[in-house]
């Protein structure tokens, strides 16, 4: 693990565990909650507070898809599900290419040169991940380059686990949300009204059960913890037009995930704004997000 520091903030980075974060603490309090998920087998029981999603976010139904006239089958990489989930970058060891007191840059080259690597993802890519602490909070940037000889579909995002208390609220605006079917995949797109609305008024999250992808997100969200006296303001580039929210009453966190693509996007070419980009050889896509900590204690 490597550590970044800026003022009263500390960030632990886990290059050997998918390039994820071990923690983000301010004044010795966890802003992000280290979470052990035994279903994510590649994390091997390590507590992870956030991790990158490359080269797709969320699920690919049954781990199978067709692209450009070819059929592909991915390895099942999460326990208890028939689907492949969150790409393969979180399963891999990343290389640290720059380390400064308040910033770090990590690199991952994926080559599908073995059967095992092909089952992770059948196209070659390079991912660059940067973490920067500044006086306002934490900045995260992702760059994904198609290093294959043919076009490939690419999506990406970031999966942070924010600390949750009884008073925590969530505020964001999106045009719609995907309701899930019994298989956990998107089944129906509905407007963000009533129980699906998180704007203009913030919603308490303590008792919510959510594992849904919101579409047409405007790139702004706020997680307010009145008991702690602070808010997290998320600001994401326009490429992140989807927001996945996961929480349950028994969980000590709310996951608020800026992502480019809808869940199972590879199977929905009829959705013009599905967020999955077909990237030509040698080309790249990128995006940044900022997690700004606002102290409301006066």
């Amino acid at each position: 693990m490597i550590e970044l520091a800026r003022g009263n903030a500390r960030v632990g980075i886990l290059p050997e565990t998918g390039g994820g974060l071990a923690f983000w603490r301010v004044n010795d309090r966890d802003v992000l909650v280290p979470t052990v998920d035994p279903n994510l087998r590649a994390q091997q029981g390590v507590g992870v507070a956030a991790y990158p999603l490359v080269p797709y976010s969320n699920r690919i139904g049954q781990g199978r898809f067709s692209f450009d006239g070819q059929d592909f089958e991915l390895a099942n990489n999460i326990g208890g599900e028939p689907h492949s989930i969150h790409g393969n970058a979180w399963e891999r060891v990343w290389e640290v290419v720059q380390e400064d007191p308040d910033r770090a840059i990590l690199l991952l080259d994926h080559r599908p040169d073995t059967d095992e690597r092909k089952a992770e993802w059948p196209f070659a890519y390079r991912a660059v991940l940067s973490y920067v602490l500044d006086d306002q909070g934490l900045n995260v940037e992702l760059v994904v380059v198609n290093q294959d000889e043919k076009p490939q579909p690419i999506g990406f995002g970031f999966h942070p686990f924010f600390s949750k208390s009884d008073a925590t609220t969530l505020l964001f605006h999106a045009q719609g949300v995907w309701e899930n079917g019994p298989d956990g995949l998107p089944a129906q797109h509905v407007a963000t009204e009533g129980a699906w609305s998180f704007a203009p008024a913030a919603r308490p999250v303590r008792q919510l059960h959510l594992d849904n992808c919101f579409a047409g997100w405007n790139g702004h969200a706020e997680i307010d913890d009145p008991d702690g006296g602070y808010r997290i303001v998320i600001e994401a580039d326009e490429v992140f037009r989807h927001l996945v929210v996961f929480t349950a009453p028994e969980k000590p966190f709310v996951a608020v995930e800026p992502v480019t693509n809808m869940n199972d996007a590879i199977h929905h070419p009829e959705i013009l704004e599905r967020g999955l980009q077909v990237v030509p050889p040698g080309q790249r896509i990128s995006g940044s997000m900022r997690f700004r900590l606002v102290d409301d204690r006066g």
Side-chain angles (χ1 to χ4, degrees):
M1 182 172 67
I2 62 176
E3 294 193 26
L4 309 182
R6 178 78 174 238
N8 57 0
R10 301 290 185 273
V11 165
I13 303 174
L14 299 166
E16 69 282 4
T17 308
L21 298 183
F23 58 83
W24 174 21
R25 296 188 183 116
V26 179
N27 293 322
D28 294 323
R29 175 173 178 167
D30 284 324
V31 178
L32 298 179
V33 181
T35 301
V36 176
D37 187 345
N39 291 318
L40 299 180
R41 293 185 290 262
Q43 291 182 349
Q44 299 181 332
V46 175
V48 177
Y51 56 93
L53 312 174
V54 182
Y56 59 88
S57 163
N58 208 265
R59 291 159 177 81
I60 289 182
Q62 309 302 319
R64 299 184 180 93
F65 68 96
S66 298
F67 178 76
D68 201 21
Q70 286 187 272
D71 296 329
F72 301 98
E73 184 168 352
L74 304 177
N76 179 284
N77 63 350
I78 179 170
E81 286 218 25
H83 316 302
S84 295
I85 191 165
H86 293 332
N88 72 323
W90 65 270
E91 302 178 279
R92 301 285 298 279
V93 175
W94 290 61
E95 177 188 358
V96 179
V97 294
Q98 180 178 335
E99 181 183 352
D100 297 312
D102 57 3
R103 68 186 62 215
I105 299 176
L106 282 64
L107 175 70
L108 172 65
D109 279 323
H110 170 67
R111 305 286 183 190
D113 49 10
T114 67
D115 289 344
E116 181 181 2
R117 292 294 187 232
K118 287 178 184 176
E120 291 179 8
W121 187 246
F123 305 97
Y125 71 81
R126 166 171 287 185
V128 182
L129 171 62
S130 69
Y131 295 111
V132 179
L133 268 178
D134 62 23
D135 292 335
Q136 285 72 49
L138 176 65
N139 303 299
V140 180
E141 182 180 17
L142 275 163
V143 180
V144 186
V145 184
N146 181 3
Q147 292 195 315
D148 214 287
E149 297 177 351
K150 50 189 177 293
Q152 68 170 297
I154 294 176
F156 58 93
F158 194 64
H159 195 311
F161 298 96
F162 292 98
S163 178
K164 182 178 72 174
S165 72
D166 289 343
T168 299
T169 63
L170 176 61
L171 171 72
F172 68 89
H173 174 75
Q175 295 175 350
V177 61
W178 285 98
E179 294 182 331
N180 299 324
D183 57 3
L185 301 177
Q188 177 177 261
H189 183 272
V190 298
T192 47
E193 299 173 348
W196 291 116
S197 176
F198 286 82
R203 294 266 308 280
V205 297
R206 183 66 197 177
Q207 297 303 318
L208 290 181
H209 287 271
L210 275 178
D211 186 8
N212 296 86
C213 182
F214 291 80
W217 179 47
N218 68 358
H220 181 95
E222 297 186 17
I223 303 163
D224 192 358
D225 183 3
D227 290 347
Y230 68 84
R231 286 178 293 128
I232 300 294
V233 178
I234 304 173
E235 297 168 334
D237 288 352
E238 190 173 357
V239 69
F240 300 105
R241 293 286 289 160
H242 295 82
L243 188 73
V244 175
V245 181
F246 171 76
T247 191
E250 69 275 13
K251 302 293 186 182
F253 62 80
V254 54
V256 182
E257 310 161 38
V259 300
T260 63
N261 60 277
M262 65 177 284
N263 299 354
D264 200 30
I266 195 74
H267 289 129
H268 290 279
E270 78 282 3
I271 307 296
L272 294 179
E273 296 183 351
R274 61 179 175 159
L276 195 68
Q277 298 191 37
V278 176
V279 181
Q283 298 300 304
R284 69 182 61 194
I285 55 175
S286 63
S288 298
M289 61 196 79
R290 294 151 293 283
F291 302 98
R292 185 161 50 90
L293 186 67
V294 180
D295 191 332
D296 288 333
R297 291 173 296 184

